[in-house]
C-alpha cells in the first residue's frame, strides 16, 4: 500500500451504532498493512460488518509499551498501521497514548482519522456551554477520592465532563450531591447512538432521583456533563467607593502597598483591586 506507507493511522470507530463509521475509516482499515486493536475479538465484529479482512495485532494497556516498540520497528520498515480501540476515538480513556508518543518522538507521521467520540457526541447534544470545557475521564473508584474530585471541580466556572460506568453511576451521583449544589444543571447522556439513547438535562437533585428510582437509568454507558459554577457578577468588580479609597492610597504609596491596604480596609478581593490599580496607573500615563 504505497500511498500510506510508514504512517500510524489513529482511526475512530463507532460508539454503538455501526453506521457511525466514516468512509475514510473503512478505507484506511482495508488498506493498511496491520491493524492494532485494543481487543482483537471485539474489533472483528466491526471488520466483518464492513468486509475488512486485514491482519490484527493486540495493543492493550497491559502490553502497550512492548507492543509499541514492535510497531515502531514495522513503521520504520515502511509498513502502515491503523490503531483502533473497542469504541470511539483511541486514547480518549482508551489505550494508545504510549504508542502515539513513541511514534511522534521517533519523528514518524501519526494521522488522525476522526469519527465517533462519546465525549463530543454528548457535548454536541447537551445544551450546556461548550466553548470551554474540561474532560475528566473516569471518576476515581473510591467514594472518598470521588468526593475529593468533586470538591476540586465544584467551583470551576466552565463545563466539566466525565465518563461513568453502569456500576458506579448511582454512587457517583450520590457523592456528587454531597459536594455540588443540588440545583446545579447536569446532563446525563446514556447509551449514545444506541437503541436506548437517553439524554436528560436537569438539576443534580432530579438526576439523582431518576437514577435512584428508574432501573433503566443505571444501565449502559454514561457521559455526565456538569454546568460550570455561576460566578456572582458583583464579585467580578469593585465598588465606586472602594475605587476611591484605592485611588487615594495610590497617591501616597506603591501599587503593592496601596492594594494591600485597600484590601485590609474594604475587604475587597486583592486581585480585583490590583487590576483596578493597574488601570488607574495606566490611565494616568495617557
Ligand atoms: N474512546 C471512547 C470514546 O471516544 O468515547 C471512550 C472509551 S471509555 C473506555 C468507555 C466509556 O466511554 C464508557 O464507560 C462511557 O462512559 C463512555 N461511552 C462510550 N460509549 C458511550 C455511549 N454510547 N454512550 C454513552 N457513553 C459512552
Amino acid at each position: 500500500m504505497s500511498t500510506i506507507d510508514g504512517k500510524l493511522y489513529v482511526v475512530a470507530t463507532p460508539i454503538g451504532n455501526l453506521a457511525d463509521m466514516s468512509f475514510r475509516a473503512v478505507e484506511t482499515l482495508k488498506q493498511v498493512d496491520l491493524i492494532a486493536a485494543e481487543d482483537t475479538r471485539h474489533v472483528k465484529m466491526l471488520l466483518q460488518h464492513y468486509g475488512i479482512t486485514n491482519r490484527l495485532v493486540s495493543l492493550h494497556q497491559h502490553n502497550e509499551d512492548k507492543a509499541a516498540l514492535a510497531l515502531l520497528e514495522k513503521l520504520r520498515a515502511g509498513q502502515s498501521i491503523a490503531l483502533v480501540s473497542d469504541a470511539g476515538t483511541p486514547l480518549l480513556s482508551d489505550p494508545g497514548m504510549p504508542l502515539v508518543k513513541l511514534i511522534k518522538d521517533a519523528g514518524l507521521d501519526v494521522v488522525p482519522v476522526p469519527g465517533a467520540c462519546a465525549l463530543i457526541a454528548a457535548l454536541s447534544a447537551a445544551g450546556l456551554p461548550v466553548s470551554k470545557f474540561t474532560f475528566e475521564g473516569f471518576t476515581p473508584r473510591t467514594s472518598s477520592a470521588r468526593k475529593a474530585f468533586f470538591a476540586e471541580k465544584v467551583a470551576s466556572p466552565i463545563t466539566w465532563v466525565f465518563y461513568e460506568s453502569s456500576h458506579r453511576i448511582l454512587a457517583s451521583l450520590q457523592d456528587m450531591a454531597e459536594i455540588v449544589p443540588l440545583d446545579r444543571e447536569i446532563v446525563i447522556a446514556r447509551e449514545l447512538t444506541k437503541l436506548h439513547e437517553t439524554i436528560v438535562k436537569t438539576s443534580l437533585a432530579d438526576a439523582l432521583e431518576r437514577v435512584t428510582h428508574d432501573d433503566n437509568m443505571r444501565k449502559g454507558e454514561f457521559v455526565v456533563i456538569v454546568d460550570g459554577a455561576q460566578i456572582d457578577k458583583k464579585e467580578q468588580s469593585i465598588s465606586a467607593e472602594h475605587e476611591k479609597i484605592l485611588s487615594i492610597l495610590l497617591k501616597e504609596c506603591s501599587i503593592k502597598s496601596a492594594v494591600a491596604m485597600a484590601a485590609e480596609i474594604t475587604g475587597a478581593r486583592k486581585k480585583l483591586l490590583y487590576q483596578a490599580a493597574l488601570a488607574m496607573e495606566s490611565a494616568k500615563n495617557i
Side-chain angles (χ1 to χ4, degrees):
M1 70 147 307
S2 55
T3 47
I4 59 175
D5 276 355
K7 293 179 181 169
L8 175 72
Y9 293 81
V10 182
V11 180
T13 57
I15 55 169
N17 186 328
L18 278 180
D20 288 336
M21 183 77 181
S22 77
F23 183 71
R24 185 169 163 232
V26 173
E27 288 303 298
T28 305
L29 293 186
K30 276 185 181 164
Q31 289 175 26
V32 287
D33 294 305
L34 191 62
I35 301 172
E38 184 182 4
D39 179 341
T40 50
R41 279 170 308 173
H42 186 99
V43 84
K44 267 184 192 152
M45 273 162 39
L46 176 78
L47 300 189
Q48 264 167 16
H49 184 82
Y50 284 99
I52 301 165
T53 52
N54 212 331
R55 269 205 311 142
L56 281 167
V57 290
S58 116
L59 180 113
H60 48 74
Q61 59 180 30
H62 303 296
N63 77 347
E64 191 161 2
D65 290 334
K66 207 169 152 210
L69 284 170
L71 293 175
L72 172 62
E73 288 318 306
K74 290 186 189 299
L75 289 166
R76 280 202 170 121
Q79 292 196 17
S80 57
I81 299 171
L83 169 68
V84 296
S85 60
D86 284 354
T89 302
L91 279 75
L92 272 292
S93 295
D94 264 342
M97 180 59 204
L99 174 64
V100 170
K101 183 174 183 316
L102 185 76
I103 305 306
K104 293 294 287 182
D105 291 351
L108 299 180
D109 286 338
V110 178
V111 181
V113 180
C117 176
L119 157 73
I120 301 300
L123 280 170
S124 72
L128 284 174
V130 293
S131 52
K132 274 188 186 181
F133 64 87
T134 55
F135 173 55
E136 305 291 340
F138 285 98
T139 57
R141 282 171 181 272
T142 65
S143 176
S144 59
R146 271 198 303 271
K147 284 181 195 163
F149 161 73
F150 291 129
E152 198 185 286
K153 296 304 308 171
V154 65
S156 166
I158 63 172
T159 303
W160 41 288
V161 190
F162 61 91
Y163 281 168
E164 201 50 276
S165 69
S166 54
H167 317 295
R168 288 211 297 264
I169 185 70
L170 180 58
S172 194
L173 291 180
Q174 284 168 337
D175 289 338
M176 202 201 298
E178 285 189 30
I179 312 285
V180 176
L182 290 172
D183 62 355
R184 183 72 66 86
E185 277 213 300
I186 77 168
V187 171
I188 309 251
R190 178 185 156 259
E191 293 290 86
L192 291 168
T193 74
K194 303 184 203 174
L195 185 62
H196 297 293
E197 178 179 271
T198 316
I199 304 172
V200 181
K201 183 183 187 206
T202 184
S203 65
L204 170 56
D206 182 57
L208 179 57
E209 181 82 11
R210 290 180 193 223
V211 172
T212 305
H213 294 111
D214 180 350
D215 291 352
N216 289 327
M217 283 298 286
R218 294 193 297 278
K219 289 182 187 151
E221 303 189 281
F222 296 83
V223 181
V224 180
I225 308 179
V226 186
D227 196 10
Q230 302 299 319
I231 293 175
D232 188 347
K233 289 255 168 19
K234 271 189 266 163
E235 278 193 12
Q236 292 301 296
S237 60
I238 58 170
S239 69
E241 191 193 336
H242 293 171
E243 247 181 56
K244 195 167 172 201
I245 294 169
L246 181 63
S247 74
I248 295 167
L249 290 166
L250 276 173
K251 283 182 195 145
E252 304 300 328
C253 37
S254 67
I255 291 188
K256 198 174 163 201
S257 309
V259 166
M261 278 192 270
E264 193 80 27
I265 297 165
T266 63
R269 282 171 57 201
K270 262 193 185 163
K271 189 180 163 198
L272 297 176
L273 289 164
Y274 190 69
Q275 284 165 351
L278 288 180
M280 285 178 202
E281 289 298 294
S282 65
K284 262 195 229 164
N285 299 328
I286 293 173

